[in-house]
Amino acid sequence: MIRLAWSAVRGAVPVAALSLCLALGAIAAEEFDVSEPEGYRTDDYRKPVPKTLTGARVIDADEAETLLKAGSAIFIDVFPRAPKPPNLPAGTVWRDLTHMTIDGAHWLPNVGYGVLSAEFETYFTSRLKNLTGGDLAKPVVFFCLKDCWMSWNAGKRALSWGYKNVIWFSEGTDAWQQAGFDLVKATPVP
C-alpha cells in the first residue's frame, strides 16, 4: 500500500512540474504578446509594445539605417522632454537633460503622449507638415526607445491625419545603439 502511494506521488511530481512550467511560459508569452489598443496609450508609456501598428510598416535597426542612408525618409524622435520643475528656488539655473538621437533625426518632444494639449497638437501637425513639405505620401519614421508607447502613439496619430507612409522603428535608439550605430546630441525642433 505504501509502495503504491509513493509510486503515485513520484509520477505526479514530474506532471506537476511540467504543468507549472507550461503555466509560467504562457504568462511570459502573454507579457510579450501585446495587442494594439483601439485608441492611444495614455499611461505606462514604458511597457512592452505591440509588434504592429495597423497601417504602418514596422522596421528594425538595419532597415532604419538603410532608409537613413538613402535619405528617403524623415526620421522623427518623439522622446519626451523633462519639464522644468515649477518650484525651483529663485536664481536656480535650469538645464535640460541631454537627449541623444539618431544623426539626421528631428526631435519633436512630447508629441507621443496619448492625449495632446491643443498647443502640442498644433506643434506636432505644423512641424510634421513642414518636415514633409505637406506630402502625405512622404515616408516618415517614428521612434523613441525600446518598449516606449510614445512612438506608437505618434505614428498612429500621423496615420489618422492622412499620412500614407508611416514607418515605426519600434525599438528606437536602444536597437540603434545595439546595432553599433552612433547617436548624437539632440536639439528640439523649435
Side-chain angles (χ1 to χ4, degrees), residues 40-42 45 78 80 108-126 128 142 150 153-158 160-161:
Y40 300 101
R41 177 74 176 240
T42 59
Y45 294 104
V78 300
L108 302 182
N110 303 333
V111 301
Y113 286 106
V115 177
L116 294 181
S117 66
E119 175 187 1
F120 273 105
E121 187 164 340
T122 299
Y123 170 79
F124 190 14
T125 57
S126 65
L128 192 53
F142 291 97
M150 293 204 166
N153 282 343
K156 182 176 179 83
R157 194 164 271 122
S160 77
W161 293 333

Side-chain angles (χ1 to χ4, degrees), residues 4 6 12 27 50 61 75 79 84 138 147 175 181 188 190:
L4 178 61
W6 176 245
I27 291 169
F75 278 67
F79 186 82
K84 181 178 179 180
K138 180 78 175 166
D147 291 331
F181 306 129

Side-chain angles (χ1 to χ4, degrees), residues 2-184:
I2 292 175
R3 200 177 268 175
L4 178 61
W6 176 245
S7 174
V9 169
R10 261 193 349 204
V13 170
V15 170
L18 178 60
S19 296
L20 179 61
C21 288
L22 291 174
L24 292 174
I27 291 169
E30 284 179 17
E31 286 179 2
F32 296 107
D33 189 20
V34 179
S35 298
E36 290 188 43
E38 288 291 320
Y40 300 101
R41 177 74 176 240
T42 59
D43 62 3
D44 293 331
Y45 294 104
R46 288 304 309 270
K47 294 285 184 184
V49 295
K51 290 181 174 34
T52 60
L53 171 55
T54 301
R57 180 167 57 115
V58 181
I59 62 171
D60 62 16
D62 290 331
E63 292 170 289
E65 183 202 24
T66 299
L67 287 171
L68 189 67
K69 281 184 175 179
S72 59
I74 305 296
F75 278 67
I76 298 180
D77 184 342
V78 300
F79 186 82
R81 187 177 197 180
K84 181 178 179 180
N87 300 323
L88 287 177
T92 302
V93 175
W94 170 255
R95 290 188 175 88
D96 281 322
L97 299 174
T98 299
H99 172 58
M100 304 296 283
T101 193
I102 296 168
D103 195 11
H106 306 276
W107 183 26
L108 302 182
N110 303 333
V111 301
Y113 286 106
V115 177
L116 294 181
S117 66
E119 175 187 1
F120 273 105
E121 187 164 340
T122 299
Y123 170 79
F124 190 14
T125 57
S126 65
R127 295 335 181 262
L128 192 53
K129 184 177 180 180
N130 288 343
L131 291 169
T132 61
D135 181 358
L136 296 178
K138 180 78 175 166
V140 183
V141 177
F142 291 97
F143 68 95
C144 185
L145 305 170
K146 180 179 181 179
D147 291 331
C148 179
W149 280 86
M150 293 204 166
S151 56
W152 189 91
N153 282 343
K156 182 176 179 83
R157 194 164 271 122
L159 287 163
S160 77
W161 293 333
Y163 285 86
K164 310 273 186 253
N165 203 347
V166 171
I167 303 165
W168 181 37
F169 181 20
S170 63
E171 293 186 335
T173 54
D174 291 330
W176 188 259
Q177 281 189 292
Q178 272 186 328
F181 306 129
D182 293 329
L183 297 175
V184 296

